[in-house]
Amino acid sequence: MRYRRWNQPSLGARLAAYAVLAFMHLPVLVIVLYAFTTADRTYEFPPPGLTLHWFAAAFARADIWAAMRLSLSVAAVATFLAIILGSLTALGMARGRFRGKESITVLLVLPIALPGIITGIALLSAIKSARLDPGFWTIVAGHATFCIVIVYNNVVARLRRLPRSWIEASMDLGADGWQTFRHIVLPQTATALLAGGMLAFALSFDEIIVTLFTAGHDRTLPIWFFNELFRPRERPITNVVAVVVMIVTFVPILLAYRLTRRGAE
Amino acid sequence: MRELSTFLYRRPTMYLLLLLVPPLLWFGTVYLGSLFTLLAQSIYAIDEFTAKVVYSPTLATYKQVVTQPANIDIILRTLSMSVAVTIACGLIALPIANYMVRYASPRARALFYVGVMLPMWMSYLVKVYAWRLILAKQGILSWLLDTMGLGAALEAVLRIPAIGGPSLSASYIGMFIVFVYMWLPFMILPLAAALEKVPESLLQASADLGARPVQTFRRVTLPLALPGLAAGSVFTFSLTLGDYIIPSVVGAPGYFIGMMVYQQQGTAGNIPLAAAFSVVPIVLIMIYLAIARRAGAFDAL
Amino acid sequence: MTCAIEFRDVSRVYGEVRAVDRVSLTVEPGEFFAMLGPSGSGKTTCLRLVAGFETPDSGSVLLNGRDVTDDPPYARDVNTVFQDYALFPHMSVLENVAYGPRVRGQRKQDWQRRAQEMLELVQLGHFGERRPSQLSGGQRQRVSLARALINQPQVLLLDEPLGALDLKLREEMQLELKNLQRRLGITFVFVTHDQGEALSMADRVAVFNRGRIEQLDTPRTLYTRPATAFVASFVGSANVVTGELAQRLSGRSDPFAVRAENIRLRTLTATADAGSMSCIGDVADVQYHGAMSRWQVRLDSGEVFAAALADAHANGDFKVGARVRLEWSRADAVPLAATERP
């Protein structure tokens, strides 16, 4: 048997690991490739030719822009609400023990722990029971709920790492609660807040599972996309939209990740 | 401003209330309120003749869900897919997580971590769509199998009743592949974290006592990594159980729980049935959480 | 004269634990006051009660005769040097030192000037633009001192400030702090678990144990006349004699303490001095400590005594296993409080 050091991986193990890694990135490359294909009715591979035509066609479509605008505004409003309500929650929950704190923690985990479909159908039944019309604000309500949780998780983790002695030192030196917040707490948590906000924005923009229940007749970009999957009209345009969605959601998440990494050092 | 500050300083309860009441108010009404409405709806039933909801409490809807053979079919189908996906994710994640933690150089390890997290952050819908492209009749996978001369084999596999379907992008096996792809990062990351906690010294001791690498893995690494596996499995299980997008986009004709919920509230307008159906995953997930907790999943999260 | 700090029957309770148990004390203006005790004894909690980071559950805290029990920290004329220095990493050293005047609304040129002066006072005049992370432990400590003193507080609180420094630096800082206090004339309150530090720096020391003050005295009195068994063994090393042995040696059953350096070692044949107590035992261990050596002697009745002698007095009669007589004068047997607190 070929000798190798006992704690070195076999060639097979190394190949397997890298193969899985490649497998995980394959689909993204596929999407980008197909955005340039000349075939307009099939998904044939290899693509018959490459073109930028579909990008222009997509940019000319009014319905795509409308859906994009809706998605962006929903994400903006939901993120705004999330930043305010999420920060308030984090400030209240960061320290101190009080009755009901554990219940609140469980409550704040539910939107992420329960499958999206539960949240979706729950919101829908509430909307129907209250005899509301599904629309912009119902979409925002659904998104804001998990956006709050995302911002909360980011900010509370940062707040808990803030040494209590800094806050005490600030007050000891003469700064009241508000000044301490402005000079010490806020600068230290700004990156976490920003990261949470960007994460929330990206996830709201991409949200489909709950939105399908709460949107009624409105179409966010993911909903537009979902509908197009079943009506293969101009497939490459769908591919272009896919690339756009990918970039709009990926960039904020990447930035948020870099921010949290820097904050943790 | 200072007076307000001092005022609140002396009354910590009021300060706490000031901070927590607005968000909790939102959460309470929007989220908890919706959940209660859902549960409430599930104990009503729909009148078969008028197609309207009858607002008197009854367990008839629940009975419908758990006794009608078609519904039981749906539940079992979803459950078996969730279990299959969980097992597959576990099996695939083990070698890559183990490699990442034990053997990769620090730079390679960083590359792996980012490489695993990156797809997790990509848009969910785009990923599903990408697989639709890959699995399509003339797509990459078919082309690959054809050039390798396995085209006929693919046809044969698709004809197998339980896992096949009209085409790869409309079959159970296609669905299975997509599910595994989607949730793989959720299994790899907790597993890697748990493996990192296994001290190198234990593995060295095992080798010192005469065990070969495979034996060390089976007897030392694996049992200690179990909490990580359990934690990851919670994600794969519950995410598959409740998903309705993937079965619709890459699915065979058979229904899944999620699709049932979506469909019942939509065209049929039968919210009580949809509600009752959605309680099933909640119950199943809670049972699974109880099992996973025993295996130490909560320590690994 | 009004005291700088006064505690009136102050208690602070955490659930079942009485961190501070009905403590009353006074600190004179201009005093260098030390709070000494093991961890969990309540000394740090008392410091935090003075600063205002904790509020007592009962009793009142007075500063300069004024009741400040409900006052937040920023309303008290007290400043603290923290154990971890608590320097703000996102500000420069100069901005850290100037924090107090800044939040009180001083103009930029004023606080810049004053902060620079304070930095020169602690010999860090050229470090203004650096970040705290670029400084050594000793330098950070001086910055936190400057940051506290710039506000000209009536009382300066120091929470185990020398714990993180190595021995040489610690001894330097002890001298510096003492000089600083003398020069400024303000009240210093110092928390430490190191009895040597407390004895060498403080005018008066409060010895804490389990939430109560066991003794509050000058260092010399604490050392020569400990009031309880705890103080006797915590401050310096003492042999605490109780029960039957006490009865045998002193004629009374009340406990007393004898300092190790007050015990003389004698051969069995040497005559006992008048007015002294003595007992006989075997040498169990001898430890060499440079200037002094310590003997552990086990009596026949089982108790172990520690005797410390200058090395010059040691001779071959007192090797391990030798049978010796321990002797000390009656005056050196310090009576201790009769009852142990439960």
Side-chain angles (χ1 to χ4, degrees):
Chain A
M1 185 174 105
R2 195 181 80 235
Y3 176 76
R4 63 171 187 274
R5 282 188 27 218
W6 73 274
N7 61 345
Q8 286 291 78
S10 62
L11 184 65
R14 188 173 295 163
L15 268 173
Y18 279 97
V20 174
L21 198 62
F23 168 70
M24 291 175 68
H25 288 264
L26 173 68
V28 175
L29 301 170
V30 168
I31 282 278
V32 176
L33 173 68
Y34 272 93
F36 296 97
T37 182
T38 50
D40 71 333
R41 277 191 205 293
T42 64
Y43 291 135
E44 63 182 281
F45 186 83
L50 297 177
T51 167
L52 283 174
H53 164 66
W54 302 113
F55 280 86
F59 278 121
R61 287 274 292 268
D63 57 342
I64 295 182
W65 280 112
M68 170 78 108
R69 267 198 302 270
L70 183 62
S71 280
L72 283 174
S73 34
V74 165
V77 174
T79 305
F80 177 74
L81 281 172
I83 288 184
I84 296 184
L85 294 176
S87 314
L88 284 175
T89 320
L91 282 170
M93 298 281 286
R95 270 180 250 273
R97 292 159 300 193
F98 51 90
R99 248 183 344 174
K101 187 169 186 190
E102 272 196 33
S103 323
I104 300 183
T105 314
V106 171
L107 178 63
L108 291 168
V109 166
L110 281 182
I112 311 257
L114 291 179
I117 191 158
I118 311 277
T119 313
I121 185 74
L123 282 170
L124 184 64
S125 42
I127 292 173
K128 289 249 162 93
S129 302
R131 288 182 222 293
L132 291 171
D133 272 327
F136 179 81
W137 287 105
T138 55
I139 305 179
V140 169
H143 288 202
T145 308
F146 69 76
C147 285
I148 292 176
V149 172
I150 291 170
V151 172
Y152 163 77
N153 279 327
N154 263 275
V155 178
V156 91
R158 186 67 191 90
L159 278 178
R160 286 190 179 140
R161 280 206 310 264
L162 200 70
R164 194 172 58 160
S165 58
W166 293 3
I167 299 177
E168 288 175 350
S170 169
M171 295 190 114
D172 177 80
L173 292 163
D176 60 42
W178 169 245
Q179 285 174 310
T180 305
F181 178 77
R182 232 180 72 211
H183 292 289
I184 310 294
V185 177
L186 202 56
Q188 290 291 321
T189 49
T191 43
L193 204 62
L194 207 58
M198 291 200 280
L199 213 60
F201 184 88
L203 289 173
S204 161
F205 190 86
D206 182 47
E207 221 292 318
I208 178 79
I209 298 185
V210 173
T211 322
L212 272 176
F213 286 90
T214 55
H217 296 293
D218 288 318
R219 292 202 303 180
T220 60
L221 202 55
I223 293 183
W224 179 94
F225 195 82
F226 187 66
N227 288 338
E228 288 297 303
L229 289 185
F230 297 106
R231 290 182 294 126
R233 219 165 32 155
E234 285 178 296
R235 288 179 188 190
I237 292 196
T238 322
N239 299 339
V240 169
V241 174
V243 172
V244 170
V245 168
M246 204 169 69
I247 296 178
V248 173
T249 54
F250 182 68
V251 170
I253 295 185
L254 186 67
L255 287 175
Y257 171 70
R258 301 288 288 270
L259 273 176
T260 13
R261 281 286 301 280
R262 199 152 32 98
E265 277 148 22
Chain B
M1 198 67 220
R2 197 163 264 241
E3 284 103 44
L4 179 62
S5 227
T6 314
F7 178 80
L8 286 175
Y9 184 85
R10 295 200 174 120
R11 288 165 189 73
T13 339
M14 185 179 296
Y15 174 63
L16 207 64
L17 283 175
L18 216 65
L19 283 177
L20 289 180
V21 160
L24 286 183
L25 210 62
W26 170 283
F27 247 78
T29 47
V30 172
Y31 192 64
L32 278 182
S34 312
L35 286 179
F36 281 129
T37 326
L38 183 71
L39 283 175
Q41 287 282 343
S42 69
I43 58 172
Y44 297 146
I46 200 163
D47 186 306
E48 280 173 19
F49 297 113
T50 62
K52 284 234 185 86
V53 181
V54 175
Y55 287 101
S56 50
T58 165
L59 287 176
T61 327
Y62 276 110
K63 205 154 145 244
Q64 196 184 355
V65 169
V66 295
T67 51
Q68 267 189 12
N71 293 343
I72 299 181
D73 242 6
I74 295 176
I75 296 178
L76 286 177
R77 187 178 298 129
T78 320
L79 196 57
S80 35
M81 178 62 85
S82 307
V83 170
V85 168
T86 303
I87 295 177
C89 280
L91 288 174
I92 298 181
L94 266 176
I96 183 174
N98 193 47
Y99 182 85
M100 262 169 79
V101 172
R102 291 286 152 224
Y103 300 127
S105 70
R107 224 160 36 129
R109 188 176 315 152
L111 175 76
F112 266 92
Y113 264 106
V114 172
V116 168
M117 283 200 275
L118 234 51
M120 207 166 66
W121 299 335
M122 301 272 192
S123 157
Y124 167 81
L125 206 51
V126 168
K127 284 187 288 193
V128 177
Y129 178 62
W131 273 100
R132 176 80 170 272
L133 296 181
I134 297 176
L135 296 172
K137 245 206 167 83
Q138 295 145 308
I140 289 187
L141 204 55
S142 305
W143 173 84
L144 198 68
L145 290 172
D146 271 338
T147 38
M148 293 202 300
L150 292 170
L154 179 62
E155 299 283 320
V157 166
L158 283 177
R159 272 199 292 273
I160 302 176
I163 58 173
S167 74
L168 200 55
S169 62
S171 64
Y172 290 113
I173 189 159
M175 214 192 303
F176 173 77
I177 297 176
V178 179
F179 271 129
V180 168
Y181 168 81
M182 293 296 254
W183 314 141
L184 207 51
F186 292 93
M187 177 65 92
I188 295 181
L189 289 176
L191 189 57
L195 283 172
E196 274 198 3
K197 287 202 202 135
V198 177
E200 187 81 33
S201 54
L202 289 183
L203 305 178
Q204 289 167 350
S206 171
D208 181 72
L209 292 164
R212 289 197 301 278
V214 177
Q215 289 175 311
T216 305
F217 184 79
R218 195 160 60 90
R219 289 174 182 279
V220 179
T221 316
L222 205 52
L224 289 174
L226 198 60
L229 272 174
S233 73
V234 168
F235 288 119
T236 57
F237 185 77
S238 58
L239 286 169
T240 312
L241 203 60
D243 196 286
Y244 67 95
I245 304 269
I246 293 177
S248 326
V249 175
V250 193
Y255 263 60
F256 277 63
I257 295 182
M259 298 165 73
M260 202 52 185
V261 173
Y262 183 58
Q263 204 223 31
Q264 285 301 319
Q265 62 80 30
T267 47
N270 190 349
I271 300 233
L273 188 59
F277 247 111
S278 61
V279 170
V280 175
I282 300 183
V283 169
L284 288 173
I285 290 175
M286 294 230 238
I287 296 177
Y288 193 84
L289 278 176
I291 301 175
R293 189 156 167 238
R294 291 277 222 81
F298 285 4
D299 309 317
L301 273 172
Chain C
M1 191 167 52
T2 23
C3 335
I5 305 175
E6 187 181 343
F7 270 34
R8 285 191 192 153
D9 217 33
V10 169
S11 288
R12 181 80 178 96
V13 181
Y14 296 107
E16 292 290 308
V17 180
R18 300 193 76 86
V20 175
D21 195 2
R22 292 193 306 262
V23 166
S24 298
L25 59 81
T26 57
V27 178
E28 301 301 316
E31 201 176 8
F32 199 123
F33 190 85
M35 298 202 204
L36 175 70
S39 43
S41 55
K43 60 191 193 300
T44 311
T45 314
C46 275
L47 195 80
R48 291 168 61 81
L49 284 166
V50 176
F53 307 135
E54 309 257 1
T55 321
D57 294 306
S58 65
S60 40
V61 177
L62 294 94
L63 288 175
N64 231 17
R66 213 180 55 133
D67 189 324
V68 296
T69 318
D70 287 321
D71 283 358
Y74 47 87
R76 303 191 189 195
D77 199 4
V78 169
N79 282 123
T80 311
V81 176
F82 289 78
Q83 193 171 6
D84 65 352
Y85 311 135
L87 297 180
F88 308 130
H90 57 287
M91 299 183 194
S92 69
V93 163
L94 191 78
E95 286 168 340
N96 261 279
V97 174
Y99 188 76
R102 248 180 85 197
V103 296
R104 282 188 232 260
Q106 280 196 12
R107 286 182 318 176
K108 183 160 186 181
Q109 54 203 84
D110 287 335
W111 59 251
Q112 267 185 332
R113 187 179 35 87
R114 288 196 57 208
Q116 187 60 36
E117 284 169 9
M118 285 310 292
L119 280 177
E120 315 242 334
L121 187 71
V122 292
Q123 288 124 36
L124 288 175
H126 296 296
F127 287 72
E129 288 312 303
R130 304 240 186 124
R131 295 264 149 163
S133 55
Q134 297 169 298
L135 302 180
S136 70
Q139 290 167 333
R140 278 185 223 173
Q141 210 234 25
R142 281 188 264 159
V143 173
S144 64
L145 251 180
R147 188 177 69 172
L149 289 172
I150 195 174
N151 305 293
Q152 293 169 324
Q154 294 224 339
V155 177
L156 185 69
L157 306 175
L158 301 107
D159 185 6
E160 311 220 33
L162 307 181
L165 306 175
D166 59 64
L167 189 61
K168 197 81 181 35
L169 204 54
R170 208 183 311 158
E171 289 174 356
E172 278 178 28
M173 281 309 297
Q174 283 174 9
L175 270 167
E176 266 192 52
L177 280 175
K178 195 86 175 97
N179 288 334
L180 197 62
Q181 194 262 341
R182 239 179 259 139
R183 211 159 24 137
L184 294 171
I186 62 181
T187 316
F188 270 37
V189 177
F190 189 93
V191 160
T192 178
H193 59 267
D194 184 330
Q195 50 100 30
E197 218 164 64
L199 291 185
S200 61
M201 293 173 73
D203 296 327
R204 279 194 309 155
V205 180
V207 180
F208 279 78
N209 186 29
R210 291 192 284 187
R212 289 258 187 97
I213 297 182
E214 297 231 347
Q215 192 176 355
L216 203 176
D217 256 318
T218 62
R220 185 175 296 270
T221 317
L222 276 180
Y223 192 80
T224 54
R225 304 263 138 227
T228 67
F230 177 79
V231 176
S233 34
F234 194 79
V235 182
S237 64
N239 299 289
V240 175
V241 184
T242 56
E244 247 188 56
L245 188 61
Q247 179 78 42
R248 206 159 25 99
L249 290 174
S250 70
R252 296 200 328 264
S253 60
D254 304 317
F256 64 87
V258 190
R259 293 268 173 223
E261 59 270 17
N262 290 334
I263 298 183
R264 300 182 290 271
L265 291 179
R266 291 300 194 82
T267 58
L268 295 178
T269 49
T271 44
D273 291 340
S276 66
M277 300 182 197
S278 73
C279 50
I280 295 176
D282 302 301
V283 177
D285 192 21
V286 183
Q287 287 168 347
Y288 180 66
H289 284 287
M292 297 273 239
S293 290
R294 288 177 72 84
W295 273 257
Q296 306 275 14
V297 177
R298 181 171 284 115
L299 305 184
D300 295 331
S301 38
E303 295 94 338
V304 178
F305 267 69
L309 298 181
D311 202 45
H313 293 292
N315 63 40
D317 289 339
F318 305 136
K319 285 209 279 276
V320 175
R323 206 150 167 78
V324 299
R325 191 165 75 225
L326 302 165
E327 200 180 87
W328 61 90
S329 58
R330 279 189 180 272
D332 288 330
V334 181
L336 302 172
T339 46
E340 276 285 333
R341 202 159 58 87

